[in-house]
Amino acid sequence: MGQAARVLEYLGQSQATLNAGGRGVPSLEKAGTFAQWTMFGVLLLIVTVSSPTGFLLAAGIVGLMFLLRKRRRDRQAWEDATWAVSPVSGVQGIAVPDVQMEAQVNHAAPTRVASEARAPISPVSRPVSSSRGLYRVSLGRSEWPNVEVVGEHAYSQAIKAAVRGSGAPIAARSDSEVEGVQVELVAEPDNPYDTNAISVRWRSQVLGYLSGEDAIRYAQPLKRIIASGLTAVTTARIWSYDGGDRLQARVTVALPEPELIAPLNEAPTGVTTLVPWGLAIQVLKEEDHFDILFNYVPPEGVCLLIVSLHKAIRTLKNGAERPFVEVRLEGERVGELSNVTSAHLLPLLEHTETIGETALAYAKITGSALAAQLVVHAARATEISNDWLSSGPHPAPKLLPWATDYEVPPAYAT
């Protein structure tokens, strides 16, 4: 019930449905249980005294009921152990990070090497430069914290500070929970335990690390961001329970798939403004431009691109002119938007063109050597705030060209 209430609160939905019919009210639930068992007992009494066959049937029903109740109790115990208690208890004996990586030459894919048990990594005391610009890996998407952080048991003081700093009190023998906490993702190439380690930090204090598997998956886009002089940030959810002698904690961070964090290509030159992330808009007629899109389909089959949006005019057979949105990639036309979706973006494009800016948007390309599909993620004109319009332009982050590996500055310190 508590987890369901938090989910509904996050989604902005009413929690009244959770209490429909008296659910969650102890007195009503107790009365309902008593009435249910009373009616069940009367039914068994009638069936039992009716015939010997009825007696065997009643015994079978009773046995089945007890079996089902036992399964429910076991399931509830598993859920309590999994969700109510911090998962840290299951990794107390694991060093953080839990794997080492051997450095490879020629930017080859890293090979995992089993690591021996080690003491937990000490908290990082070297602060991240505040002069670096922020790069939000979610790109404006509403992301639920979905990636587990490991090793929280070694950073209880930092976690307590993050919870308090987010406005949630910490008291002995009670749990606390905060959401939407901004955290930094910092690559640590000089980490003595794992050269691919990525720490999760709140105000330069380590809260934990991405697991060895996740560190490998997210290394390329995060190192690209850091090597470009930016700080990768996202949001986190922190749950903690102060047991008095030991703090149990669970930290999860919001991360999209690695290929959807940073665009494969670079933003066009000139005065540009990046339209905020919005719902998916299918690009039409991209099949006519597969010769261009083919060059941007990665081996994984999906990636993020930056495209430009332009107002274009189509002359109909009756001589009427109909405006629509044309989508270009590196200055080349790769498709267009439908009349309906174009109408949602044209007011914004007319505004940007009037003030001498080119509108950019993120696009997701999916495909293979046979075909490709392009989907633009751009907010509609009705979703753009006046503050955003008046504070422009909003240039796209300047990232280094795509590469298999990047050099990032040392970040680990005891």
Side-chain angles (χ1 to χ4, degrees), residues 86 88 92 120-124 150-165 170 200 202 205-208 238-251:
S86 168
V88 171
Q92 292 295 328
I121 292 177
S122 303
V124 172
V150 300
E152 299 99 325
H153 61 280
Y155 307 101
S156 58
Q157 295 302 318
I159 290 176
K160 286 183 179 180
V163 173
R164 290 195 186 98
I170 289 186
V200 178
W202 177 81
Q205 301 181 67
V206 172
L207 306 179
I238 305 175
W239 173 88
S240 64
Y241 175 80
D242 191 352
D245 56 338
R246 183 170 64 92
L247 182 75
Q248 297 178 343
R250 181 188 182 203
V251 180

Side-chain angles (χ1 to χ4, degrees), residues 268-274 307-310 349 352-353 356-360:
T269 58
V271 182
T272 60
T273 192
L274 183 62
V307 297
S308 57
L309 306 177
H310 305 267
L349 299 188
T352 56
E353 292 181 4
E357 299 174 359
T358 300
L360 307 180

Side-chain angles (χ1 to χ4, degrees), residues 283-303:
V283 177
L284 305 180
K285 300 182 179 181
E286 73 266 48
E287 65 275 7
D288 297 338
H289 309 281
F290 181 66
D291 58 328
I292 299 174
L293 294 176
F294 170 78
N295 300 316
Y296 294 89
V297 178
E300 298 80 9
V302 60
C303 75

Side-chain angles (χ1 to χ4, degrees), residues 78-326:
W78 177 86
E79 290 183 353
D80 290 342
T82 304
W83 300 108
V85 179
S86 168
V88 171
S89 58
V91 295
Q92 292 295 328
I94 301 178
V96 183
D98 57 348
V99 295
Q100 279 186 306
M101 307 300 303
E102 286 185 343
Q104 303 291 314
V105 296
N106 299 328
H107 306 306
T111 303
R112 300 191 62 194
V113 180
S115 62
E116 300 177 355
R118 301 176 184 270
I121 292 177
S122 303
V124 172
S125 58
R126 182 183 301 162
V128 176
S129 174
S130 58
S131 61
R132 299 167 65 94
L134 299 182
Y135 185 99
R136 303 188 182 279
V137 298
S138 65
L139 303 179
R141 288 165 285 192
S142 178
E143 294 281 350
W144 181 261
N146 57 328
V147 176
E148 296 283 347
V149 174
V150 300
E152 299 99 325
H153 61 280
Y155 307 101
S156 58
Q157 295 302 318
I159 290 176
K160 286 183 179 180
V163 173
R164 290 195 186 98
S166 302
I170 289 186
R173 308 298 177 183
S174 65
D175 62 345
S176 302
E177 181 180 344
V178 291
E179 296 178 354
V181 182
Q182 179 171 293
V183 294
E184 304 161 357
L185 302 170
V186 181
E188 300 179 358
D190 55 334
N191 189 299
Y193 302 97
D194 183 356
T195 57
N196 279 326
I198 297 176
S199 59
V200 178
R201 309 184 186 185
W202 177 81
R203 297 182 182 178
S204 302
Q205 301 181 67
V206 172
L207 306 179
Y209 282 77
L210 298 187
S211 68
E213 293 80 2
D214 286 333
I216 295 174
R217 294 178 62 227
Y218 288 98
Q220 195 272 350
L222 292 180
K223 287 183 177 180
R224 181 185 178 193
I225 294 170
I226 297 171
S228 300
L230 302 171
T231 298
V233 298
T234 186
T235 58
R237 172 182 175 269
I238 305 175
W239 173 88
S240 64
Y241 175 80
D242 191 352
D245 56 338
R246 183 170 64 92
L247 182 75
Q248 297 178 343
R250 181 188 182 203
V251 180
T252 52
V253 294
L255 285 176
E257 290 302 308
E259 60 271 13
L260 299 180
I261 288 180
L264 181 66
N265 62 326
E266 300 177 62
T269 58
V271 182
T272 60
T273 192
L274 183 62
V275 179
W277 186 276
L279 297 177
I281 303 175
Q282 178 63 54
V283 177
L284 305 180
K285 300 182 179 181
E286 73 266 48
E287 65 275 7
D288 297 338
H289 309 281
F290 181 66
D291 58 328
I292 299 174
L293 294 176
F294 170 78
N295 300 316
Y296 294 89
V297 178
E300 298 80 9
V302 60
C303 75
L304 199 67
L305 298 172
I306 290 183
V307 297
S308 57
L309 306 177
H310 305 267
K311 178 183 176 181
I313 303 294
R314 177 181 290 112
T315 303
L316 305 180
K317 293 181 179 180
N318 59 4
E321 294 183 341
R322 174 174 293 173
F324 66 99
V325 176
E326 183 179 86

